[in-house]
Amino acid sequence: MDKKIKRCGWANYNQLEKEYHDEKWGIPVFEDKELFKMLCLEGMQAGLSWVTVLKKMQAFCEAYDDFDPEIVVNYDEKKEEELLQNEGIIRNRLKVKSVAINAKSYFKVCEEFGSFSNYLWGFVNHKPIINSWKKLEEVPAKTELSDKISKDLKKRGFKFVGSTIVYAFMQAVGMVNDHLLDCDFRRVEVK
């Protein structure tokens, strides 16, 4: 008989959340394009629930060329209007425009730091922060570090990178491990 799988409380409501939690959330990501994609997707989530983004994930990736910065950096007004007509994605004009703007900033960061990964992971000394939360209510929505990263991203021209968005991004890409202590998917080994 299988024991009941323990997950973080937010990941028990539907299959999409369970799969995302079990297979992606909190696992360190170092690949530049994947980091850029996740930052854009977290920005799309602003004011909405993450499950909304998960439900639209395939449509997002198709509409935005899988958030490849080499492609989205060249998006023009025609492409933005096309995206705003796409019912499969979140059609907020400022969020749509932010992807191309963020791609321009991404390339400047890559030039300065050698990679987007070097820049972002440098804020945590290139290894995840491992937290030890017992209850979901203990997990913060933002921290001093997410405030610092948000401020720096904004200074560099990024959009939709407020502190709460940045902290959710940090959790998503494993810069911070916020799996609860009793979660079966809490991984604390570092590559």
Side-chain angles (χ1 to χ4, degrees), residues 31-73:
E31 201 277 315
D32 280 0
K33 288 181 182 178
E34 191 65 21
L35 289 166
F36 177 76
K37 175 181 174 177
M38 289 306 298
L39 187 64
C40 291
L41 288 168
E42 290 292 349
M44 291 293 170
Q45 183 231 333
L48 304 168
S49 69
W50 183 245
V51 75
T52 301
V53 173
L54 290 176
K55 287 177 181 174
K56 296 175 179 284
M57 185 68 75
Q58 185 173 345
F60 268 126
C61 291
E62 289 171 6
Y64 284 94
D65 298 289
D66 203 29
F67 294 91
D68 183 337
E70 300 273 351
I71 299 171
V72 300
V73 73

Side-chain angles (χ1 to χ4, degrees), residues 116-128:
F116 199 45
S117 183
N118 279 340
Y119 164 70
L120 290 168
W121 280 92
F123 285 102
V124 294
N125 296 317
H126 302 278
K127 61 182 183 182

Side-chain angles (χ1 to χ4, degrees), residues 79-173:
K79 178 63 177 183
E80 289 171 2
E81 288 304 318
E82 175 189 312
L83 290 165
L84 289 168
Q85 301 306 312
N86 186 333
E87 294 181 9
I89 64 170
I90 295 166
R91 298 180 295 167
N92 173 296
R93 185 173 296 278
L94 293 176
K95 290 178 181 181
V96 167
K97 285 184 166 295
S98 74
V99 175
I101 292 168
N102 288 351
K104 289 176 178 75
S105 299
Y106 163 90
F107 284 110
K108 289 177 187 170
V109 165
C110 288
E111 190 174 316
E112 182 177 344
F113 291 88
S115 73
F116 199 45
S117 183
N118 279 340
Y119 164 70
L120 290 168
W121 280 92
F123 285 102
V124 294
N125 296 317
H126 302 278
K127 61 182 183 182
I129 295 169
I130 310 292
N131 288 319
S132 299
W133 311 116
K134 291 180 182 175
K135 297 184 284 188
L136 200 55
E137 298 77 29
E138 296 174 344
V139 181
K142 62 181 185 168
T143 63
E144 285 184 25
L145 180 57
S146 68
D147 291 346
K148 178 182 176 181
I149 296 171
S150 169
K151 187 176 179 182
D152 198 71
L153 285 164
K154 288 176 183 177
K155 182 181 83 179
R156 295 173 185 282
F158 286 87
K159 304 293 182 194
F160 285 94
V161 289
S163 187
T164 302
I165 291 170
V166 168
Y167 194 72
F169 167 77
M170 292 170 68
Q171 292 172 311
V173 302

